[in-house]
Amino acid sequence: MSESSRRKPRVLSGVQPSGSLHIGNYLGALLQWRDLQDTYENFFCVVDLHALTVPENVKAAGLREKTLEVAALYLASGIDPARSTVFVQSEVAAHAELAWLLTCVSPLGWLQRMTQFKTKSDVASTVGAGLLTYPALMAADILLYEADQVPVGADQKQHIELARDVAARFNDMFGPTFKLPNPMIPPTGARVMGLDNPEQKMSKSISAPGHAIGLLDPPNVVKKAIMRAVTDTGSELVWAEASPGVKNLISIFAAITGESADAVAARYEGRGYGYLKKDLVDAVEGALLPLRARYTELRADPTYLNEVLDAGAERARSVAEPVLARAKAAAGLGRGR
Ligand code: AQP
């Protein structure tokens, strides 16, 4: 299919292999990607270059192993390589190359304003410049595929807006080159909070026990995390006055079952939190059991996983390289031969 005659709008998204994927990544990203597959032309990458922005996390996790784990989790969540291009970001060199061009047109003030930079630079013991310029790399990821939509959790909205602004700035400076993308935020599950602290986003780089529900956690660990989740000092659910911890549990429940938060809350109104938590354990387990089983099968067949990622990288290069060439030409790089 030629680029100009493509019929379906295109989406691109990715997850960093910077730790163990959790239910926030599943509900905010993977589930949405799975459900988009027939409506869009899909590019889903494992963004390993992004994981380098906090080198401590990478050392602890073993980057290559985590990259394979994340790729297998994409497939185990229902991403179908026959309908979606699945690839590893660093295997398509155009990402790093375009990131440099975009870094050069990204005003420092724009990058310094990003909430994720501020949060992560506060907690990391050493802060590399990559943590600051991360959104320019993310803009490159998106713009190389001329993505119409970028399905992400609410935490990433600011970065998509920055990608738009950087693309517009490049277009103003060098002439029309990039298509401007839009964020696509799911109605439920867009911002899953920590079970131990509902004021903090559930995050794979937080390793405190009971913080996250890991997609590969064994059932007893999942159960313990949910049963111990912070609620409030009351003992019964009053939805109109629900605390952030209770709202978080209801919203995870709703995102998993596809119901509205109000419908889930109505079932537990006036009842003890124990009932809600017990049923939530069952609902989460209902989603994770088949996912873990498929993941185990995929990891037992490295040849298949490698074939999927090889084919994905080849397809991704065929789309990304002409866009990179156009951007380089617009900026006057090289000799034009
Ligand atoms: N808590 C969350 N609720 C809903 N969606 C979430 N996402 C992440 N956390 C939540 C979505 O998952 C995708 C992967 O994002 P990422 O790997 O690029 O990094 P992130 O957003 O910074 O996610 P984490 O899990 O918090 O990782 P670390 O700790 O490595 O930074 C994105 O679509 C994101 O919106």
Side-chain angles (χ1 to χ4, degrees):
M1 180 169 52
S2 84
E3 290 307 297
S4 56
S5 67
R6 67 179 211 240
R7 284 168 288 116
K8 291 183 179 174
R10 196 176 270 170
V11 300
L12 173 124
S13 204
V15 172
Q16 301 182 60
S18 50
S20 300
L21 264 58
H22 51 71
I23 200 97
N25 300 128
Y26 182 70
L27 299 175
L30 300 181
L31 212 54
Q32 212 193 164
W33 303 357
R34 184 198 69 190
D35 295 341
L36 293 172
Q37 289 183 98
D38 290 326
T39 316
Y40 291 88
E41 186 190 356
N42 315 285
F43 289 81
F44 300 125
C45 51
V46 181
V47 287
D48 55 346
L49 293 171
H50 285 281
L52 285 181
T53 56
V54 182
E56 291 91 331
N57 292 345
V58 173
K59 266 190 241 150
L63 185 54
R64 197 159 282 164
E65 168 56 24
K66 280 290 164 194
T67 296
L68 290 169
E69 182 178 305
V70 172
L73 279 171
Y74 286 4
L75 304 190
S77 302
I79 307 300
D80 172 7
R83 289 180 289 158
S84 298
T85 300
V86 179
F87 65 102
V88 177
Q89 179 194 31
S90 67
E91 293 176 4
V92 180
H95 289 248
E97 202 173 342
L98 183 61
W100 176 249
L101 274 69
L102 298 178
T103 300
C104 293
V105 301
S106 299
L108 194 53
W110 291 7
L111 298 172
Q112 284 168 330
R113 269 203 303 276
M114 294 295 108
T115 309
Q116 197 176 73
F117 169 68
K118 288 195 236 166
T119 316
K120 290 192 177 175
S121 57
D122 271 356
V123 294
S125 59
T126 51
V127 177
L131 193 60
L132 178 69
T133 58
Y134 165 112
L137 175 58
M138 184 162 162
D141 301 337
I142 298 165
L143 300 178
L144 281 172
Y145 299 90
E146 305 186 291
D148 300 278
Q149 304 276 349
V150 187
V152 286
D155 61 317
Q156 289 291 343
K157 184 164 179 265
Q158 200 184 28
H159 289 157
I160 314 298
E161 283 161 358
L162 187 95
R164 269 184 81 87
D165 292 344
V166 170
R169 192 157 197 264
F170 189 102
N171 289 349
D172 279 350
M173 289 169 91
F174 300 117
T177 306
F178 295 121
K179 182 176 177 58
L180 306 194
N182 289 300
M184 186 194 278
I185 315 279
T188 52
R191 191 166 169 79
V192 177
M193 310 307 284
L195 297 187
D196 57 341
N197 176 3
E199 306 292 339
Q200 189 176 44
K201 181 183 86 111
M202 188 178 284
S203 172
K204 47 179 136 60
S205 48
I206 297 177
S207 55
H211 167 74
I213 301 170
L215 298 185
L216 297 175
D217 283 349
N220 62 322
V221 174
V222 170
K223 182 172 180 190
K224 197 163 159 189
I226 294 175
M227 295 312 286
R228 290 195 177 169
V230 169
T231 47
D232 56 42
T233 50
S235 54
E236 292 164 0
L237 193 138
V238 182
W239 185 227
E241 295 164 18
S243 63
V246 174
K247 284 189 184 145
N248 191 36
L249 295 179
I250 295 276
S251 118
I252 295 173
F253 208 142
I256 285 197
T257 58
E259 297 167 279
S260 71
D262 286 343
V264 174
R267 276 207 302 280
Y268 298 95
E269 185 72 21
R271 296 172 70 197
Y273 294 135
Y275 294 101
L276 166 67
K277 287 180 167 179
K278 197 175 150 301
D279 289 352
L280 180 57
V281 170
D282 292 342
V284 169
E285 200 42 38
L288 295 192
L289 191 76
L291 184 145
R292 283 190 216 104
R294 180 70 187 125
Y295 173 83
T296 306
E297 277 171 22
L298 286 158
R299 291 311 304 271
D301 187 359
T303 307
Y304 172 71
L305 189 57
N306 282 321
E307 277 169 10
V308 167
L309 295 174
D310 284 347
E314 198 179 320
R315 162 82 182 128
R317 279 184 218 113
S318 75
V319 175
E321 283 170 3
V323 178
L324 173 66
R326 197 168 73 213
K328 287 170 74 175
L333 291 168
R335 291 173 297 145
R337 298 182 342 146

